[in-house]
């Protein structure tokens, strides 16, 4: 029998979340952001559910090829553009749209021989200070780009650093609007947090939601997935492979970091940090056993965790353990954001980190 751990991708949830993005964005077109192998879900697994999007946005040329291999003929956007000049050949061949965030990328385009002019997204660094042209340099970049025969349409884009928090988007949006207000072309500014929290201000022509498609709240813990009417797109589940009866004073796991105060039944679940379950999770991290909420106790080891069975006295070897997502037994939910919080991280990291050794079971198309 294979080890009982399994990740499940919920296609219906992906469809629902895409629809949620559409409702927030009204008539804007939607990029489904599928970088990092669709945030760990697998591009091939999510493709059917997300093909209702207007385009797929990603980073990697290999991922762009995978989207084309799946038969997608619509827009594909490279969110960081090309990394070297020869990447432009593949852009021409596959009809990829690409971000231009620096002079070197304009130089590469100027030297590129293509029959088919490229559609580019010119990125402004409006305050995040990662990628993009500073506001005072943006118009010069636009002028240079628009003079190139290799370039067709130019969409104006920026990316928010604080759409999920109190600092908000105003300063960045003001910088973007000040510089671009009289330039022609479409606009794209909103990630998930901006789409949900500032819908009227950031809708523009294209939105770029990622995390919301996968059912994690971009601004947790201020709001949770339920608040935003998002459904989890991934369940990570396993089973109990052993049960131990502890007496007062008995400790559990490496470092004996948890000691039972009285008699305590604990279950040993087949999941560990080698599966992508974060080692930073400590005693108290929520877990579902047979769909009943309980807590992890002790340290996460490479292949196992230990869970308190007090609220589920009927649990035993073979009982279902849900690490995040939806329990198959009773439909109970454990938001990935709550587990991420217990590990001092965000849902993004957990879903991207599910290890290669974990088998995936795609849900049937409903
Ligand atoms: C340029 C750009 N747009 C959109 C996104 C999607 O962001 P989120 O997953 O927060 O919606 C990202 C992700 O980092 C990004 O880099």
């Amino acid at each position: 029998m294979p080890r009982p751990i399994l990740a499940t991708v919920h296609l219906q949830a992906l469809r629902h979340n895409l629809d949620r993005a559409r409702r927030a964005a009204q008539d804007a077109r939607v990029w489904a952001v599928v970088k990092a192998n669709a945030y760990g879900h697998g591009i091939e697994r999510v493709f059917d559910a997300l093909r209702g999007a207007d385009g797929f946005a990603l980073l990697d040329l290999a991922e762009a090829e995978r989207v084309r291999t799946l038969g997608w003929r619509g827009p594909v956007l490279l969110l960081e553009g090309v990394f070297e000049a020869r990447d432009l050949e593949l852009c021409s061949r596959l009809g990829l749209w690409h971000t231009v965030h620096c002079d070197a990328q304009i130089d590469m385009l100027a030297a590129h021989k293509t029959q088919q002019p490229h559609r580019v997204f010119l990125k402004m660094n409006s305050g995040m200070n990662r990628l993009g042209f500073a506001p005072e340099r943006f118009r010069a970049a636009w002028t240079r780009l628009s003079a190139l025969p290799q370039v067709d349409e130019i969409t104006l884009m920026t990316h928010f650093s604080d759409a999920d928090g109190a600092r908000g988007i105003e300063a960045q949006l003001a910088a973007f609007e000040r510089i671009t207000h009289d330039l022609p072309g479409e606009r794209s500014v909103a990630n998930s947090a901006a789409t949900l929290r500032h819908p009227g201000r950031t809708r523009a022509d294209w939105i770029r939601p990622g995390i919301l498609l996968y059912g994690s709240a971009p601004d947790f813990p201020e709001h949770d997935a339920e608040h935003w009417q998002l459904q989890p797109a991934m369940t990570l589940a396993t089973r109990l492979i052993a049960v131990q009866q502890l007496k007062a004073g008995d400790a559990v796991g490496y470092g004996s970091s948890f000691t039972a105060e009285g008699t305590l039944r604990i279950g040993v679940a087949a999941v560990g940090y080698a599966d992508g379950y974060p080692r930073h999770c400590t005693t108290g991290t929520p877990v579902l056993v047979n769909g009943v909420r309980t807590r992890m106790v002790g340290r996460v080891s490479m292949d196992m965790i230990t869970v308190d069975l007090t609220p589920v006295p009927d649990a035993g070897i073979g009982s279902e353990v849900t690490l995040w997502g939806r329990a198959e037994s009773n439909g109970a939910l454990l938001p990935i954001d709550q587990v991420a919080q217990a590990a001092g991280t965000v849902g993004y990291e957990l879903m991207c980190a599910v290890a290669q050794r974990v088998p995936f079971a795609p849900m049937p198309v409903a």
Side-chain angles (χ1 to χ4, degrees), residues 33 35 39 79 123 130 159 191-192 208-211 348:
V33 179
K35 66 193 172 112
Y39 289 43
L79 285 166
K123 184 163 186 174
R130 262 183 355 183
H159 190 51
N191 58 359
S192 296
R208 307 188 306 269
I211 195 72
Y348 295 77

Side-chain angles (χ1 to χ4, degrees), residues 63-119:
E63 291 186 340
E65 279 189 292
R66 281 161 63 191
V67 171
R68 287 286 184 240
T69 303
L70 287 163
W72 179 254
R73 295 190 189 286
V76 175
L77 174 65
L78 298 177
L79 285 166
E80 293 182 4
V82 295
F83 300 100
E84 55 180 333
R86 67 180 173 162
D87 295 347
L88 288 170
E89 287 159 27
L90 204 61
C91 290
S92 294
R93 188 148 58 78
L94 297 178
L96 308 181
W97 303 5
H98 48 101
T99 299
V100 171
H101 64 78
C102 65
D103 289 312
Q105 289 177 328
I106 304 184
D107 295 342
M108 291 181 215
L109 258 173
H112 179 54
K113 294 187 177 38
T114 179
Q115 309 286 331
Q116 203 60 45
H118 289 197
R119 175 116 181 218

Side-chain angles (χ1 to χ4, degrees), residues 268-292:
V268 181
V271 61
Y273 60 79
D275 300 299
Y277 191 82
R279 189 175 175 278
H280 288 296
C281 285
T282 50
T283 293
T285 301
V287 178
L288 306 179
V289 176
N290 288 342
V292 176

Side-chain angles (χ1 to χ4, degrees), residues 41-351:
H41 293 67
I43 287 178
E44 286 75 12
R45 272 179 225 109
V46 303
F47 176 70
D48 232 31
L50 296 182
R51 68 188 312 162
D54 298 288
F56 288 91
L58 36 75
L59 292 194
D60 209 74
L61 282 170
E63 291 186 340
E65 279 189 292
R66 281 161 63 191
V67 171
R68 287 286 184 240
T69 303
L70 287 163
W72 179 254
R73 295 190 189 286
V76 175
L77 174 65
L78 298 177
L79 285 166
E80 293 182 4
V82 295
F83 300 100
E84 55 180 333
R86 67 180 173 162
D87 295 347
L88 288 170
E89 287 159 27
L90 204 61
C91 290
S92 294
R93 188 148 58 78
L94 297 178
L96 308 181
W97 303 5
H98 48 101
T99 299
V100 171
H101 64 78
C102 65
D103 289 312
Q105 289 177 328
I106 304 184
D107 295 342
M108 291 181 215
L109 258 173
H112 179 54
K113 294 187 177 38
T114 179
Q115 309 286 331
Q116 203 60 45
H118 289 197
R119 175 116 181 218
V120 299
F121 275 50
L122 181 61
K123 184 163 186 174
M124 182 190 291
N125 168 18
S126 56
M128 191 169 194
N129 292 313
R130 262 183 355 183
L131 300 182
F133 292 91
E136 62 277 12
R137 300 203 46 244
F138 189 79
R139 291 181 78 98
W142 184 88
T143 303
R144 201 181 153 211
L145 211 47
S146 57
L148 294 182
Q150 292 88 342
V151 171
D152 184 5
E153 272 179 63
I154 305 174
T155 298
L156 314 175
M157 89 183 272
T158 195
H159 190 51
F160 297 122
S161 54
D162 292 87
D164 57 335
R167 227 172 127 112
I169 59 165
E170 289 309 324
Q172 283 188 262
L173 200 56
F176 183 73
E177 282 171 353
R178 180 168 50 84
I179 302 297
T180 62
H181 67 95
D182 59 346
L183 289 179
E186 294 188 336
R187 270 91 172 134
S188 176
V189 298
N191 58 359
S192 296
T195 298
L196 294 172
R197 290 170 65 97
H198 309 281
R201 305 276 287 122
T202 63
R203 201 172 294 143
D205 298 294
W206 288 91
I207 59 165
R208 307 188 306 269
I211 195 72
L212 82 77
L213 298 176
Y214 306 101
S216 163
D219 57 352
F220 187 85
E222 186 182 339
H223 298 110
D224 60 13
E226 192 185 354
H227 171 89
W228 294 121
Q229 297 142 32
L230 301 173
Q231 297 178 3
M234 183 195 287
T235 293
L236 183 64
T238 187
R239 297 200 174 271
L240 294 184
I241 55 168
V243 172
Q244 300 289 345
Q245 185 68 53
L246 305 188
K247 305 182 298 301
D250 284 348
V252 180
Y254 287 118
S256 299
S257 70
F258 173 81
T259 304
E261 287 178 359
T263 55
L264 186 69
R265 223 171 144 249
I266 59 159
V268 181
V271 61
Y273 60 79
D275 300 299
Y277 191 82
R279 189 175 175 278
H280 288 296
C281 285
T282 50
T283 293
T285 301
V287 178
L288 306 179
V289 176
N290 288 342
V292 176
R293 195 177 169 103
T294 181
R295 58 178 182 145
M296 206 199 65
V297 293
R299 272 198 202 150
V300 175
S301 20
M302 184 184 282
D303 311 308
M304 284 174 266
I305 62 167
T306 36
V307 298
D308 180 352
L309 295 182
T310 309
V312 252
D314 55 336
I317 291 178
S319 290
E320 173 195 40
V321 179
T322 309
L323 289 325
W324 59 72
R326 193 181 287 280
E328 208 182 336
S329 48
N330 66 358
L333 276 182
L334 176 52
I336 194 169
D337 297 319
Q338 291 182 9
V339 183
Q341 186 180 42
T345 184
V346 286
Y348 295 77
E349 189 178 354
L350 265 53
M351 52 181 80

